[in-house]
Amino acid sequence: LRVQCVAADLGCEEGLRRAGAALQELLQDPSFGRLLLVNNAGSLGDISKSFQDFTDLQEINTYFAFNVGSALCLTSTALRAFGARAGCSRTVVNVSSLCALEPFPSWALYCSGKAARDMMFRVLAREEPGIRVLSYAPGPLDTDMQLLARTRTADAGMRQHFQRMKEKGQLIDSSVSAQKLLRLLQEDSFPSGAHVDFY
């Protein structure tokens, strides 16, 4: 096992260049027989705002550059660097959300970003039948991001909903959801481009 960590801010061009260069160098190794790329980087955006509070184009563009643009750039870079090798499989996972399908009040950026990513990866699945593509919604995970959701969401009903989930122990441990994803990948029976939810 070889682990290579690259610290990079995927929200800026320099960080994307650094991560992309590391991917290109790593994936040219001809001994690799499988590519499994997991796109997990993302952010909630400012969930303390409602739809009509978003008037700053730079804030909006910055959000989409990180949450959508970087996933497209890095996935394309990885697929090109690895190439279509005989007998080798290529799988791309997009960590998605129920928010890609359902609107959440005061989560305009997050919902639209997740929806855009799902469609982007559906396009990849359609263009490249030899690549397995999965958008996996891991469920409401008990993470720091969930803490932000419970405390910063502008919509009071949404805040209370997440607080009740925490109080009732309904949030999912990240390792449990990760095991579900691994099972999905091992079974490999999903239609390429599918959105599959933890539940």
Side-chain angles (χ1 to χ4, degrees):
L1 176 66
R2 187 170 94 221
V3 178
Q4 182 175 336
C5 295
V6 178
D9 178 357
L10 301 182
C12 70
E13 289 185 29
E14 175 53 37
L16 269 177
R17 274 196 294 273
R18 183 180 302 124
L23 270 175
Q24 286 175 320
E25 182 180 344
L26 179 69
L27 294 178
Q28 287 173 9
D29 186 330
S31 69
F32 291 159
R34 177 175 189 189
L35 174 65
L36 172 58
L37 180 63
V38 180
N39 288 283
N40 184 47
S43 65
L44 277 175
D46 190 347
I47 54 173
S48 70
K49 293 181 176 180
S50 296
F51 186 100
Q52 294 184 57
D53 296 323
F54 287 105
T55 56
D56 182 346
L57 185 60
Q58 183 175 349
E59 176 186 8
I60 296 165
N61 286 343
T62 297
Y63 181 85
F64 283 99
F66 172 48
N67 288 277
V68 180
S70 71
L72 176 56
C73 288
L74 289 178
T75 301
S76 299
T77 298
L79 291 173
R80 289 170 69 103
F82 192 81
R85 304 178 187 183
C88 296
S89 66
R90 294 172 292 167
T91 303
V92 175
V93 176
N94 166 43
V95 176
S96 186
S97 170
L98 175 62
C99 293
L101 308 177
E102 296 290 332
F104 281 36
S106 73
W107 287 28
L109 291 181
Y110 189 76
C111 289
S112 52
K114 287 298 187 183
R117 276 173 58 141
D118 267 32
M119 182 53 74
M120 184 172 75
F121 286 106
R122 286 177 62 192
V123 170
L124 172 63
R126 182 68 59 90
E127 285 184 0
E128 300 286 347
I131 299 172
R132 302 287 287 141
V133 181
L134 173 65
S135 285
Y136 175 65
L141 301 179
D142 194 3
T143 61
D144 289 345
M145 193 172 103
Q146 232 309 305
L147 175 60
L148 284 176
R150 293 193 303 273
T151 57
R152 299 289 311 276
T153 299
D155 185 81
M158 289 287 294
R159 273 199 321 274
Q160 291 164 4
H161 171 71
F162 290 131
Q163 287 164 359
R164 281 195 301 273
M165 288 185 79
K166 175 66 173 176
E167 290 162 5
K168 293 180 179 179
Q170 295 174 332
L171 297 178
I172 301 164
D173 187 270
S174 297
S175 63
V176 172
S177 189
Q179 287 299 319
K180 170 76 180 267
L181 173 57
L182 285 174
R183 282 196 303 276
L184 286 168
L185 293 173
Q186 287 167 343
E187 292 166 5
D188 198 28
S189 60
F190 56 86
S192 190
H195 174 106
V196 178
D197 192 274
F198 174 83
Y199 292 109

